[in-house]
């Protein structure tokens, strides 16, 4: 069975998309075709949207599921005429919140993901630059300004995790690769020892690491299972000896790895 | 007036946080202290959470607002005993969805942001690597594999936008800086001409550009207002002459810039 799902907003569509994805993920036996439709901010665009939804309803033989965060009443009323099953996110929660907060909602469009609302927007972009400048051990002289320093073998997921934490939460995360040299010394690189409390280790299953490295450098010693297994074993030993908190990234997304690191290190997200 | 708000989940907390942030953004006259609490996945953790919320209620003199996406009924019931105003996201929408889809929700924890659910997870990480490898014109030989190529002056926001689209949507976005050399020739760099349909221009207000460049290279010619104004004028002229779609990034977040680019270029997000 196949159903269409639309995430519709007068802003970026991120809220409708995030909530919609979460809810639909609970129905594993249904295949959804998913479409995000941002900036539906006029009656004309809403009318065109209704046509698109109605066409999908005909093709699918089932009405699409619509998640919307449209603020404007008139535009929402037009959209509501479509042949879809409406999950109206703002309408469901804004009225009870207004009552609890004894305050009127501003009903302003596109607030959540705008720069204006984000007092920490500049901080997020600056954290992205920090992650890029301090990626892969490139520089170590700014570790005093880091919130976190991820350590682990090459290609275990350090960089995407740092970028995610920077973009999403404005967290300044550097990363430092533990290479064969460090392993043979069996101790923490000197650049890291002053910042031991900021360190968090990423590990990975050797066979997964082998697969990832083979995509970068096929059939190299670097990508061999023996080398990957050796590095992972040495690094995990180091984490244990030095009491560095660590997780195995193999089965986790950057979202999950980030959430786990922040909980474990007690770092608060920088939310506006 | 100050209120505490908690985004509580048995998974990463991203859904609760995203929806909560969007709703709270509608109440501009209230200052919220916001806390994300992921992995509240046991009765014990829920009890500790209740205590934390009740303490905040006492300190604030107002009950906190709670956005939760906890799936397990027993854990949710414990949390519901707190002295907070509950916005129970899944409870509100799962039952109507079950009816519409004639299907039972799996009530499984942490689905939305896990690797398993994300059939496109590998694609997202590979898109991040693509963005990094093809950042700042470093390489141009893989543009055939790009979904998009962002062009603009140095420091107008190309890299964070590419990284956001990659991480969030698995979109392969390269970026190419238009430098003074290109401007004096007043034509598109040869590396870009075969891929004109993939190009999207970012512009920026000269005074904002001056401020950003001064943070990187204080008091340089590169960061002077005269230079910034010249480059922006030349580049905007090029966009117009070459009919390259473009937006001014000054007042938009990476989320907004990305959403606008995808709409304009007709690129669909890679949603699982």
């Amino acid at each position: 069975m196949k159903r269409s799902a639309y995430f519709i907003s007068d802003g970026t569509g991120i809220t409708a998309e995030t909530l919609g994805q979460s809810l639909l993920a609970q129905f594993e036996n249904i295949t959804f075709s998913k479409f995000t439709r941002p900036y539906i901010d006029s009656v004309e665009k809403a009318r065109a949207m209704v046509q698109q939804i109605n066409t999908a309803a005909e093709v699918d033989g089932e009405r699409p599921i619509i998640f919307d965060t449209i603020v404007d009443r008139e535009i929402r009323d037009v959209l509501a005429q479509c042949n879809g099953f409406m999950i109206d996110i703002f309408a469901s929660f804004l009225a009870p919140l207004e009552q609890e907060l004894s305050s009127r909602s501003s009903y302003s469009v596109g607030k959540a993901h705008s720069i204006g609302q984000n007092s920490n927007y500049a901080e997020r972009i600056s954290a992205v630059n920090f992650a890029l400048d301090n990626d892969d051990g490139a520089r170590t002289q700014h570790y005093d300004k880091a919130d976190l320093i991820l350590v682990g073998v090459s290609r275990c997921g350090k960089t995407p995790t740092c970028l995610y934490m920077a973009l999403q939460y404005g967290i300044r995360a550097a990363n430092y690769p533990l290479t064969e040299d460090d392993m043979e010394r069996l101790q923490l690189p000197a650049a890291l020892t002053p910042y031991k409390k900021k360190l968090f280790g990423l590990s990975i299953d050797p066979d997964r690491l082998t697969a990832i490295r083979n995509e970068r450098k096929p059939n190299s010693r670097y990508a061999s299972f023996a080398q990957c297994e050796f590095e992972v074993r040495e690094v995990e030993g180091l984490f244990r000896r030095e009491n560095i908190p660590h997780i195995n990234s193999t089965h986790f997304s950057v979202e999950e790895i980030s959430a786990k690191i922040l909980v474990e290190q007690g770092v608060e997200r920088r939310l506006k």
Side-chain angles (χ1 to χ4, degrees), chain A residues 172-243:
Chain A
R172 288 170 179 252
N175 75 80
Y176 189 97
L178 295 171
T179 62
E180 226 177 336
D181 283 355
D182 302 314
M183 287 166 209
E184 280 163 9
R185 273 188 276 121
L186 293 173
Q187 56 182 21
L188 267 188
L192 298 179
T193 47
Y195 304 104
K196 212 175 144 185
K197 282 189 186 157
K198 297 184 179 186
L199 300 185
F200 198 95
L202 286 193
S203 191
I204 185 168
D205 291 351
D207 51 355
R208 177 85 192 110
L209 184 62
T210 305
I212 294 170
R213 287 187 174 182
N214 261 305
E215 273 181 37
R216 294 297 275 203
K217 297 192 184 164
N219 305 316
S220 60
R221 175 166 168 277
Y222 165 81
S224 70
F225 181 78
Q227 178 65 19
C228 291
E229 197 188 30
F230 166 71
E231 292 188 22
V232 167
R233 191 176 54 230
E234 290 297 309
V235 163
E236 289 184 346
L238 182 71
F239 292 160
R240 278 189 298 267
R241 279 197 311 281
E242 296 280 351
N243 271 319

Side-chain angles (χ1 to χ4, degrees), chain A residues 256-268:
Chain A
E256 292 172 306
I257 297 168
S258 301
K260 286 169 197 290
I261 292 173
L262 297 184
V263 167
E264 187 123 4
Q265 294 287 74
V267 175
E268 280 287 346

